[in-house]
């Protein structure tokens, strides 16, 4: 099926399509290589729509897990079916405005399981079980070319879905990473080397490769500085591959020589000696994180910190980094900046105003 798909969508495009499909009760199948965030998108959308998400790993199910188990009704002397408890009942449906039934790894399920799922998707019922009206169905799976365990989806089942093939989109990932506090060193490195966000090659024999998911693993490993360089190198290599791990650890070495963001925002540091470009990306993200933290804590010197932030990036960063830092602060964090309280605002607006306006309009 995936061989015929040429049009792809990023996470934002997938979300927009899913919202429309949910509204029309039209099942969607998300195709895509491993690690790009198919499952995470469903969870995010469920939260945004205040919908209860039921995550079913269909590859682990048997046909009876969908249809239920037969039992003998001794009163009427007939065979009846006990519906599976994992599927949404009428009682559950009454407790939620919307429910999303997410059939993950669907094309990794055995053909007999897919056949049982076909009845559920086609008729919104299987056996005596009926899918409640406020339930939307979405399925996901890897493409046949991704070297995973898959079974070819029967044409009648495939024809019940609207098919979307997902791809990695840097802008979508950057926005998500900032909002979810992915480690500044990870965002900084990938901002400098965007091509390293995703390097999955189904023909490669490497067990570890870079994906948005595996970079999240790296971010988690960096939260506590409680391990040796050698151990961290082993763990990062096991997450994204040895070649990328070496590049990333070299980036971290340079980033560690950058000024402390708190010292910059307090005005203690005004100039930067080290000009290693990838490390400067990390520092930009760190400054934005620190500025947001101060805003959340309602720091008394908030306006002074904002002024020091803009003055520092004006004096030390190239235009691209100035735009990136300002866009994160204004567009993504929506920090309450008051131009009248920022001493360097007029200078900043004169030098970079038109570039910032163009960037935030995108």
């Amino acid at each position: 099926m995936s061989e015929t798909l040429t049009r792809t969508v990023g996470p934002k495009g997938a979300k927009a399509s899913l919202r429309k499909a949910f509204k029309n009760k039209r099942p969607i199948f998300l195709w895509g290589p491993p690690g790009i965030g198919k499952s995470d998108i469903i969870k995010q959308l469920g939260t945004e729509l205040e919908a209860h998400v039921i995550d079913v790993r269909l590859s682990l199910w048997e046909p009876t897990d969908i249809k239920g188990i037969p039992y003998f009704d001794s009163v009427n002397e007939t065979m009846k079916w006990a519906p599976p408890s994992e599927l949404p009942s009428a009682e559950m449906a009454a407790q939620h405005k919307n429910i999303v039934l997410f059939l993950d790894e669907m094309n990794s399920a055995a053909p007999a399981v897919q056949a049982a799922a076909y009845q559920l998707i086609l008729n919104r019922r299987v056996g005596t079980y009926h899918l409640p009206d406020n339930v939307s169905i979405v399925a996901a799976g890897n493409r046949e070319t991704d070297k995973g365990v898959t079974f070819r989806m029967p044409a009648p089942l495939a024809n019940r879905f609207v098919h979307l093939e997902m791809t990695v989109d840097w802008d979508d990932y950057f926005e998500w990473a900032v909002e979810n506090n992915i480690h500044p060193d990870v965002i900084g490195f990938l901002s400098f080397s965007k091509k390293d966000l995703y390097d999955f090659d189904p023909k490669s024999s490497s067990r570890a490769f870079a994906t948005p998911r595996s970079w999240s693993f790296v971010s988690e490993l960096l939260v506590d500085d409680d391990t040796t360089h050698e151990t961290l190198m082993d763990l990062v290599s096991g997450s994204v591959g040895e070649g990328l791990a070496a590049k990333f650890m070299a980036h971290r070495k340079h980033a560690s020589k950058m000024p402390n963001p708190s010292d910059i925002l307090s005005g203690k540091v005004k100039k930067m000696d080290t000009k290693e470009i990838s490390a400067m990306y990390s520092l930009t993200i760190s400054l934005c994180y620190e500025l947001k933290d101060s805003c959340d804590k309602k720091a008394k010197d908030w306006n002074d910190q904002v002024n020091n932030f803009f003055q520092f990036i004006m004096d030390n960063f190239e235009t691209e980094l100035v735009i990136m830092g300002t866009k994160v602060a204004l567009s993504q964090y929506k920090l309450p900046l008051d131009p009248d309280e920022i001493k360097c605002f007029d200078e900043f607006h004169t030098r970079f105003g038109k570039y910032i306006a163009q960037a935030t309009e995108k």
Side-chain angles (χ1 to χ4, degrees), residues 155-277:
L157 176 57
N159 194 237
R160 298 307 304 175
F161 287 103
V162 173
H163 297 267
L164 296 176
E165 182 163 343
M166 278 189 59
T167 188
V168 174
D169 182 273
W170 163 252
D171 290 333
D172 287 0
Y173 172 79
F174 179 82
E175 183 175 327
W176 173 88
V178 170
E179 291 176 353
N180 287 272
N181 294 321
I182 295 299
H183 198 281
D185 284 353
V186 172
I187 301 179
F189 172 73
L190 294 175
S191 297
F192 173 71
S193 186
K194 298 179 178 64
K195 63 182 178 59
D196 290 329
L197 172 60
Y198 189 80
D199 72 347
F200 172 64
D201 180 1
K203 298 178 182 179
S204 172
S205 60
S206 176
R207 297 184 182 91
F209 47 89
T211 67
R213 178 167 59 198
S214 58
W215 279 115
S216 293
F217 298 163
V218 174
S219 175
E220 293 168 2
L221 293 169
L222 302 177
V223 171
D224 298 312
D225 190 13
D226 59 355
T227 188
T228 65
H229 173 87
E230 193 66 25
T231 299
L232 187 59
M233 178 66 181
D234 292 339
L235 292 169
V236 176
S237 295
S239 300
V240 297
E242 187 173 357
L244 273 184
K247 288 174 61 178
F248 176 72
M249 294 300 283
H251 159 80
R252 284 205 82 211
K253 183 178 180 180
H254 290 295
S256 67
K257 298 176 182 178
M258 291 286 106
N260 188 309
S262 297
D263 291 339
I264 294 172
L265 296 182
S266 68
K268 293 179 181 178
V269 175
K270 300 182 183 297
K271 293 292 182 181
M272 189 171 58
D273 296 327
T274 305
K275 295 289 186 179
E276 208 286 324
I277 185 64

Side-chain angles (χ1 to χ4, degrees), residues 73-89:
D73 181 352
S74 59
V75 176
N76 299 307
E77 296 187 349
T78 58
M79 181 74 74
K80 291 189 175 181
W81 291 85
S85 60
E86 289 88 348
L87 295 179
S89 63

